[in-house]
Amino acid sequence: MPCTVVVGGFFGDTGKGKVISYLALADDIEVAARGGVGPNAGHTVVYKGQKFVMRMLPSAFVNERCRLLVGPGVLVDPAVFLREVEMVKAHGRVGLDPRCAIIELKHKELDRRGHLKERIGTTGTGCGPCNADRAMRVAKLARDVPELEPYLTDVPLEVNRAIDEGRRVLLEGTQGTFLSLYHGTYPYVTSKDVTASAICSDVGVGPTRVDDVIVVFKAYVTRVGLGPLPGELSQEEAERRGWAEVASVTGRKRRAAPFNFDLAKRAVMLNGATQVALTKIDVLYPECQGARKFEELPREARELVARIEEELEVPVSIIGTGPGVFEIVDRRDELGLKR
Ligand code: IMP
Ligand code: MG
């Protein structure tokens, strides 16, 4: 996997953090770069009994040798960024691009009232208003913030050099395909595109340099904030099935629906998926909890995987069986997908 892009299918919160932290360790990723929107995302990593919600730094931080970069397309909230650097003690191996735009207090204030809050139900983290200022060419950039100075680096140059040298590189996307400004359920979307092509652009990597695109789907669909959710269950039914999750950034309740094959097919198309990761299968079939081998999964779980592969025409190479980094069935060897 010289250069792999990992993005979310559905509406975000599909388990990218978990899948990426696993890949970082299993494949010994050397350089990880985050694309996507900014601190509106929360990627959950459960490692060595500790839970981390990563809003700015790549989820690959669990591999202590991995360089952690934030691409120029990403919006940076300096306080969140610096707090995370401290939290994972990553001072010596973090870099962010001087061209990242900076979220200021005024952006958060604008995001927490009016139509963004009432009509769209944004995360209130200031991302939309900051991207608006960026498009208006009035945004402040990371190069203008003295506290960020020690971390500034040319991220596109670093990442492309690493690819040239044949090192293992991972690009981390945020949110999910149907929250994309272009491809999602407008106006109930985030403030930019978040498909695989956009993530590459955020980091400064051209499409010819990517070897694999892994789209992460959860075994059921959730959505926070407003906007359509086909097949939505009542809150009561979602609770009964154990699908009523709490959002990691905003603490809001997530709405829930069954796995959606039509959306999944479209996400595979829009992202050019070469592999699919399916997470939280243990929530559907508790017997899967902690399994690491495909044969250990009950028949219904294996049938679901087979049906997804048949309909999506993409191999389900990684299956999440619990919250921990290593609670994963990794089928890449048996499917002949390891590069
Ligand atoms: P914004 O990205 O904060 O502007 O919010 C726009 C919409 O995207 C809202 O419905 C949010 O709930 C949703 N959203 C933004 N980021 C995430 C995420 O990381 N996970 C899930 N939903 C998100
Ligand atoms: Mg999340």
Side-chain angles (χ1 to χ4, degrees):
M1 53 147 30
C3 181
T4 300
V5 184
V6 181
V7 291
F10 299 146
F11 302 94
D13 306 316
T14 47
K16 286 181 294 296
K18 183 226 160 69
V19 168
I20 291 165
S21 55
Y22 169 77
L23 293 174
L25 292 165
D27 295 4
D28 198 13
I29 298 294
E30 294 163 277
V31 176
R34 189 148 162 166
V37 185
N40 51 351
H43 296 179
T44 303
V45 175
V46 178
Y47 184 53
K48 293 186 176 166
Q50 228 185 314
K51 179 175 160 177
F52 303 86
V53 177
M54 307 307 291
R55 295 175 54 197
M56 295 266 37
L57 298 189
S59 305
F61 76 90
V62 293
N63 182 336
E64 286 171 21
R65 290 188 304 192
C66 184
R67 179 103 171 112
L68 306 172
L69 301 171
V70 179
V74 178
L75 307 176
V76 170
D77 183 327
V80 177
F81 174 86
L82 294 168
R83 209 186 311 132
E84 277 178 24
V85 172
E86 188 59 42
M87 176 174 78
V88 304
K89 301 271 174 291
H91 303 83
R93 58 186 177 114
V94 170
L96 90 166
D97 197 274
R99 300 168 194 82
C100 292
I102 296 299
I103 297 175
E104 297 179 79
L105 187 59
K106 61 182 178 191
H107 298 131
K108 289 184 255 196
E109 284 170 357
L110 279 170
D111 207 10
R112 288 170 188 172
R113 59 179 155 86
H115 95 287
L116 288 174
K117 178 174 194 288
E118 313 300 337
R119 176 148 184 245
I120 312 298
T122 68
T123 60
T125 51
C127 292
C130 183
N131 268 332
D133 270 357
R134 198 172 196 182
M136 291 300 283
R137 270 61 52 88
V138 294
K140 190 180 195 180
L141 299 187
R143 65 180 183 220
D144 307 320
V145 181
E147 302 90 288
L148 297 177
E149 163 74 40
Y151 304 103
L152 297 185
T153 185
D154 186 335
V155 169
L157 188 67
E158 273 205 46
V159 174
N160 282 281
R161 270 203 188 133
I163 297 172
D164 289 342
E165 290 163 4
R167 296 164 73 194
R168 292 175 298 280
V169 172
L170 188 147
L171 310 185
E172 173 168 350
T174 64
Q175 283 80 34
T177 301
F178 300 102
L179 289 177
S180 161
L181 180 64
Y182 301 161
H183 304 291
T185 52
Y186 188 92
Y188 306 103
V189 291
T190 191
S191 51
K192 58 188 266 195
D193 183 24
V194 289
T195 58
S197 319
I199 302 310
C200 292
S201 158
D202 288 338
V203 176
V205 168
T208 54
R209 314 227 61 190
V210 173
D211 300 288
D212 271 306
V213 175
I214 302 180
V215 178
V216 185
F217 296 111
K218 193 157 57 183
Y220 47 97
V221 185
T222 58
R223 168 161 213 169
V224 279
L226 299 169
L229 177 58
E232 181 168 4
L233 303 176
S234 66
Q235 189 62 40
E236 216 175 33
E237 180 58 18
E239 303 270 2
R240 198 185 65 73
R241 298 189 190 190
W243 298 0
E245 303 168 342
V246 174
S248 49
V249 172
T250 56
R252 293 181 292 185
K253 276 243 171 86
R254 290 180 184 153
R255 301 152 59 198
F259 189 92
N260 188 313
F261 286 91
D262 294 331
L263 288 181
K265 265 189 229 175
R266 192 164 176 84
V268 159
M269 174 184 83
L270 291 169
N271 291 291
T274 60
Q275 297 180 33
V276 159
L278 181 67
T279 59
K280 293 212 176 185
I281 200 161
D282 55 299
V283 176
L284 296 198
Y285 311 104
E287 312 92 284
C288 296
Q289 177 70 48
R292 304 213 50 193
K293 290 204 169 72
F294 193 61
E295 305 76 62
E296 288 168 23
L297 303 181
R299 189 173 47 83
E300 302 92 302
R302 282 181 278 131
E303 279 171 4
L304 174 66
V305 170
R307 182 169 169 217
I308 291 173
E309 290 187 323
E310 201 176 290
E311 297 223 13
L312 272 47
E313 299 181 71
V314 178
V316 175
S317 56
I318 287 170
I319 303 168
T321 59
V325 165
F326 290 109
E327 291 180 303
I328 276 210
V329 175
D330 184 348
R331 304 173 72 210
R332 290 177 298 163
D333 268 336
E334 69 182 74
L335 297 175
L337 295 171
K338 272 237 168 100
R339 289 180 198 256

